[in-house]
Amino acid sequence: QKEVEQNSGPLSVPEGAIASLNCTYSDRGSQSFFWYRQYSGKSPELIMSIYSNGDKEDGRFTAQLNKASQYVSLLIRDSQPSDSATYLCAVKTGNTGKLIFGQGTTLQVKP
Amino acid sequence: DAGVIQSPRHEVTEMGQEVTLRCKPISGHNSLFWYRQTMMRGLELLIYFNNNVPIDDSGMPEDRFSAKMPNASFSTLKIQPSEPRDSAVYFCASSPPGQTIETQYFGPGTRLLVL
């Protein structure tokens, strides 16, 4: 079992819709969770971090964490074509800064 | 402010040659990470330095790979000898000290092709 799993997609949504990206992780002791966005041919950039169960909102983005289910998700409201990218889920393990990344989900927002 | 700087941006080499990738982290950051990204394996951590000291090199694939950080502003990742399966994008990332250590800032990457 991979440590961090994501559906590779592509996930296709129409412009203006809500995009829902999901991620599961295997290390029950994980405490920190991140979403990175990576445009094609570019480097990953951090868009959200979440540490506690529940929801965390930042503009059109909402991260959701459920540690009991070992599940973290990212919702993008009012999706725009510029949101088309690969979204990487990352989980911090242990006491170091080491991040384990999922394979990423490719999101396509169609005008 | 300048971000993480990597060089070269592209590298094409032949199997068996030595390849050296370079990284300059963001000034003031004390953690540095080397990642490799391929379609098959995704983004994998190769090695992680904190205050110039290697903390975790469990991701280094084999002895052909080595990394150094001689000072706070420079790191190298060397592959010797290179093989076609080493073809990938290699990212360097850095993070600042303190609670934001988990916020990693990625460089633009080096696209390596080994023929």
Side-chain angles (χ1 to χ4, degrees):
Chain A
Q1 180 188 6
K2 292 183 178 179
E3 294 182 76
V4 180
E5 295 205 48
Q6 298 179 253
N7 187 322
S8 62
L11 172 65
S12 183
V13 300
E15 183 175 356
I18 296 175
S20 178
L21 306 165
N22 304 314
C23 171
T24 58
Y25 59 95
S26 60
D27 183 356
R28 187 170 289 277
S30 298
Q31 295 295 319
S32 306
F33 308 87
F34 308 87
W35 285 98
Y36 281 77
R37 177 177 61 199
Q38 186 175 25
Y39 291 113
S40 180
K42 301 297 184 182
S43 56
E45 57 176 329
L46 179 67
I47 56 172
M48 289 286 287
S49 60
I50 187 166
Y51 306 94
S52 304
N53 279 330
D55 295 359
K56 179 182 178 182
E57 186 174 318
D58 184 359
R60 295 187 296 111
F61 298 95
T62 299
Q64 299 176 318
L65 175 61
N66 183 326
K67 291 184 179 179
S69 300
Q70 295 175 243
Y71 174 90
V72 58
S73 65
L74 179 70
L75 301 178
I76 306 175
R77 291 182 299 281
D78 188 24
S79 296
Q80 301 297 309
S82 59
D83 295 325
S84 298
T86 296
Y87 290 80
L88 301 168
C89 173
V91 177
K92 178 173 174 286
T93 63
N95 295 320
T96 70
K98 183 175 180 177
L99 295 181
I100 305 296
F101 284 83
Q103 288 280 82
T105 298
T106 299
L107 173 65
Q108 297 174 346
V109 181
K110 298 187 175 181
Chain B
D1 289 341
V4 175
I5 299 172
Q6 291 187 246
S7 65
R9 295 291 306 275
H10 299 88
E11 178 81 24
V12 180
T13 190
E14 293 186 346
M15 182 174 62
Q17 296 299 305
E18 177 179 298
V19 175
T20 299
L21 311 181
R22 297 173 176 79
C23 175
K24 176 179 171 57
I26 294 171
S27 178
H29 286 196
N30 69 336
S31 294
L32 183 140
F33 307 81
W34 281 102
Y35 290 91
R36 177 174 67 178
Q37 187 173 40
T38 61
M39 289 293 292
M40 289 295 296
R41 301 177 66 87
L43 190 62
E44 303 174 284
L45 177 68
L46 299 177
I47 188 168
Y48 154 41
F49 292 88
N50 184 254
N51 293 324
N52 312 336
V53 176
I55 302 299
D56 186 339
D57 65 354
S58 59
M60 295 287 263
E62 49 197 273
D63 292 345
R64 297 184 299 107
F65 285 69
S66 62
K68 294 182 180 180
M69 191 164 186
N71 58 62
S73 59
F74 184 67
S75 177
T76 59
L77 178 68
K78 185 175 295 185
I79 308 172
Q80 167 63 21
S82 58
E83 297 182 2
R85 60 192 169 118
D86 301 330
S87 298
V89 180
Y90 290 81
F91 288 105
C92 176
S94 69
S95 65
Q99 294 183 357
T100 54
I101 190 173
E102 298 151 350
T103 303
Q104 298 185 15
Y105 298 82
F106 283 75
T110 295
R111 283 156 178 78
L112 173 65
L113 177 61
V114 183
L115 302 174

